[in-house]
Amino acid sequence: MKLIASVLLVSTALSVCAAPYPANSTLGERSLEERATGVVTTCKTKGHAALTFDDGPYYGATAGKTIANAGGKATFFVNGNNWDCIYNRADTIKALYSQGHVIGSHTWSHPDITQISAAQLNNQLDLVERALKKILGVKPRFFRPPYGSVNDAQVKILQQRGYTVVNWNFDSGDSMGKSASESIAAYKRLSYPNAVIALNHDTNKPTVDVVVPAAVSALKSKGYKLVSISECLGQSAYQSVGTPGQRDSSWKC
Ligand SMILES: [Zn+2]
């Protein structure tokens, strides 16, 4: 564990992110210096690139459309109540799901889960599961810890609940103050066929408007296949798939 490096990166991220994002921003995903056992950071198959989007649903529909139009799939790790209430964005989630993108959990309110109790973590998971059951009828399989921050104790809880914990091996830098052109340049530096799980945020408008179209084009021209985390890991996308609910008074945060 390189704790010092991690702490430095966190403080940099927070100070950088304070200005350009709204007050409710929880951007600033931590670098993966602290890797817990059992956390996935890359795909099983060479030539696979799994674009992932955290902190939404927000502008995700735009990214989803771009990727689907290019014949690809992506993964959206959604919050319940972070930038917006998930029930206000139910149509976005349904659209992404119907395009074949995978919906995973990123907790209800985006806490650093290493700083909360087991009971609090379970509650964070319960609330997102309940929402996705109502909106899509599914129980998610994939979990992305906020800030990439997770330790062995939480991985154990998550795995007992059937989750696969997914971090990343490429950060577009969109929560670290990188400009769109810097993020695009980073994507262009990726070396095919090394498998990639890429971190992005669909709460960041330049990401969905500018970076994703360029990244999709760059990755495809290198030869990458744009896959969901399900295909990336060879695991079913959901722990269960059922019938969605109808909107009622319980659809609120
Ligand atoms: Zn996040």
Side-chain angles (χ1 to χ4, degrees):
M1 293 213 299
K2 298 173 188 169
L3 278 171
I4 295 170
S6 184
V7 168
L8 286 173
L9 284 164
V10 169
S11 57
T12 305
L14 291 175
S15 59
V16 168
C17 287
Y21 297 109
N24 66 341
S25 172
T26 40
L27 292 177
E29 306 284 11
R30 185 174 301 176
S31 160
L32 292 182
E33 299 297 339
E34 299 172 76
R35 281 189 187 154
T37 313
V39 177
V40 172
T41 57
T42 191
C43 299
K44 288 196 157 171
T45 306
K46 279 188 185 293
H48 278 186
L51 296 176
T52 67
F53 297 86
D54 292 7
D55 294 8
Y58 209 70
Y59 302 121
T62 308
K65 214 175 287 176
T66 303
I67 295 161
N69 287 345
K73 302 275 194 292
T75 304
F76 293 80
F77 290 102
V78 300
N79 286 132
N81 197 9
N82 183 15
W83 280 56
D84 194 2
C85 171
I86 191 169
Y87 293 109
N88 297 339
R89 305 273 169 167
D91 288 348
T92 298
I93 294 183
K94 286 179 183 189
L96 294 169
Y97 181 74
S98 67
Q99 287 167 343
H101 303 304
V102 167
I103 309 298
S105 173
H106 192 45
T107 74
W108 184 254
S109 60
H110 207 278
D112 179 342
I113 63 171
T114 64
Q115 305 300 314
I116 62 177
S117 68
Q120 287 170 321
L121 173 57
N122 278 311
N123 187 49
Q124 291 277 328
L125 300 171
D126 288 343
L127 289 168
V128 173
E129 286 176 11
R130 198 175 303 159
L132 292 180
K133 173 87 179 125
K134 288 174 197 268
I135 296 167
L136 297 176
V138 304
K139 181 175 181 184
R141 166 158 330 273
F142 301 111
F143 176 84
R144 163 73 48 80
Y147 315 102
S149 177
V150 65
N151 64 29
D152 290 348
Q154 287 106 38
V155 170
K156 196 170 167 202
I157 293 171
L158 287 153
Q159 288 180 339
Q160 280 169 348
R161 291 184 61 134
Y163 283 98
T164 298
V165 182
V166 182
N167 271 331
W168 59 88
N169 62 358
F170 171 83
D171 184 349
S172 69
D174 65 349
S175 69
M176 310 286 277
K178 259 191 197 168
S179 68
S181 56
E182 287 171 323
S183 292
I184 292 165
Y187 270 105
K188 288 183 174 169
R189 285 194 297 271
L190 282 169
S191 178
Y192 181 85
N194 294 338
V196 180
I197 296 179
L199 173 68
N200 305 272
H201 296 80
D202 67 281
T203 47
N204 190 35
K205 203 152 191 321
T207 292
V208 300
D209 288 345
V210 184
V211 178
V212 169
V216 163
S217 163
L219 291 169
K220 284 194 74 174
S221 68
K222 284 175 189 281
Y224 276 108
K225 183 179 184 192
L226 303 176
V227 298
S228 69
I229 286 296
S230 171
E231 185 171 352
C232 159
L233 301 178
Q235 297 178 16
S236 58
Y238 303 101
Q239 299 195 51
S240 65
V241 178
T243 313
Q246 297 286 336
R247 183 179 285 276
D248 62 23
S249 60
S250 72
W251 288 40
K252 60 172 191 267
C253 290

